[in-house]
Amino acid sequence: MTGAIVSADVIPSKGWNVVLTPETSLDKVADEAGALVQAAGFTQHTQNRRAPDNRGYRNDKYEIFINRQDADGTVSYTVFTR
C-alpha cells in the first residue's frame, strides 16, 4: 500500500500505531490489508462495517486493528503484543 504517513507512535510496553492517508480508496485499502494479515496467519475476530470500519485480527503473538476513518480519509493500523 502506498500513501502518506500521518503519524506513527509507539504505545509503551504494548505495541505501535501507524496512521496513513492512502492513495487508493479506503474500501480497497482496508480489504487488501485484511487479506494480507490473514495470509500471514492471523484470524479475524471482530468486524464493524459501520463508520468507521473497524476490523480486528490476532495470532499467538499479536493483535492487529485496522480502522478506516471516513471523516478524514485515513486508515490506522494498531498492533498490540499479546
Side-chain angles (χ1 to χ4, degrees), residues 31-80:
D31 290 342
E32 287 179 357
L36 288 170
V37 168
Q38 287 178 310
F42 286 77
T43 57
Q44 186 170 5
H45 66 88
T46 61
Q47 181 166 354
N48 178 8
R49 286 274 190 188
R50 292 174 284 158
D53 183 347
N54 300 306
R55 304 172 192 200
Y57 304 86
R58 67 171 58 126
N59 70 9
D60 292 339
K61 291 180 149 187
Y62 301 101
E63 190 160 15
I64 299 173
F65 294 93
I66 300 169
N67 300 304
R68 188 181 91 192
Q69 301 295 330
D70 293 332
D72 64 3
T74 63
V75 176
S76 68
Y77 302 92
T78 305
V79 179
F80 292 108

